[in-house]
Amino acid sequence: MRDDRALALLIGGLTGAIVARSTVIPSDWHLAFNLTIVVFSMGVAWTAGLRSDDLGLARRHVGAGFRYGGAVFLAITAALALAAPFGLLDDDRTTIGISEMLLRVLVVIPIGTVVMEEFAFRGVLYGLLEHTATPARSMVAGSVLFGLWHVPPIAGDGAWTVLGTVVATTVAGAGFIWLRRRSGSLLAPVLAHLGTNSVTFALSWAASR
């Protein structure tokens, strides 16, 4: 399949997936549904003939991915640890028991969110964008699409909250793409993403005790 058609298929599939997940897929099924998104992304990558280098999965870049991603993970963790005592991480979703917290931090978030989003957006999507656009356009398109991914089709929040979410996740997407590009490895944004999601949730839970 041509890269532009594969790109259109991927974007269309991800759009349909986020609409379905936000409207008709029960929350208890989100983890399994997100794994189907990974399978779908794999299928698009296969039909487009993307290689391990295109997906950030080449073994020779693992070391660089670990170094860059590990450094960002530690920086994020340190910043969050400093912010937690001041109530900056307060989140109503963390009023749960330790077993549920560990399940989310060690399984649901890493597999259902981080792996899925990184493979789909910094792996397959960015790999296709690199084949069809300039580096600058690939960065902008990949970042904006990641930002829009975080807006539910039926938003119950105010416009400023929605806009803030889009801006924040777009900026995060740009940072993840930079790590992916700089290291050549998907591992770098995966580790950074774990810092922003799993570590935030764990420290928020700890601060609420």
Side-chain angles (χ1 to χ4, degrees):
M1 180 183 293
R2 284 171 38 184
D3 291 332
D4 55 347
R5 293 180 180 178
L7 182 60
L9 175 61
L10 180 66
I11 294 174
L14 290 176
T15 301
I18 194 61
V19 171
R21 195 180 68 182
S22 301
T23 57
V24 299
I25 303 298
S27 58
D28 291 344
W29 294 6
H30 280 187
L31 177 59
F33 184 73
N34 286 354
L35 292 179
T36 67
I37 297 175
V38 175
V39 175
F40 165 72
S41 301
M42 287 180 177
V44 173
W46 180 76
T47 60
L50 295 183
R51 302 164 301 172
S52 59
D53 268 332
D54 298 320
L55 300 172
L57 299 177
R59 298 173 69 178
R60 68 180 183 279
H61 295 307
V62 170
F66 185 79
R67 289 193 300 274
Y68 279 95
V72 174
F73 178 90
L74 292 176
I76 291 172
T77 300
L80 292 172
L82 291 173
F86 299 97
L88 299 178
L89 302 182
D90 289 352
D91 188 337
D92 293 340
R93 295 173 298 175
T94 60
T95 56
I96 55 178
I98 187 171
S99 59
E100 178 67 16
M101 183 275 290
L102 290 174
L103 178 64
R104 294 192 190 185
V105 169
L106 300 177
V107 179
V108 176
I109 293 174
I111 297 175
T113 299
V114 174
V115 169
M116 181 272 290
E117 291 185 348
E118 290 308 319
F119 183 75
F121 283 89
R122 260 66 64 181
V124 184
L125 177 65
Y126 185 70
L128 290 170
L129 286 171
E130 278 195 311
H131 286 195
T132 57
T134 64
R137 290 180 178 177
S138 298
M139 169 72 79
V140 172
S143 302
V144 171
L145 288 170
F146 186 64
L148 294 175
W149 168 261
H150 289 83
V151 178
I154 303 176
D157 298 320
W160 287 111
T161 300
V162 172
L163 179 61
T165 299
V166 172
V167 171
T169 50
T170 297
V171 171
F176 294 150
I177 289 174
W178 182 87
L179 285 169
R180 159 77 169 83
R181 181 184 293 174
R182 182 70 177 177
S183 67
S185 174
L186 201 62
L187 179 60
V190 163
L191 291 174
H193 205 156
L194 282 173
T196 61
N197 286 38
S198 282
V199 174
T200 299
F201 194 91
L203 290 178
S204 177
W205 179 87
S208 67
R209 298 301 96 189

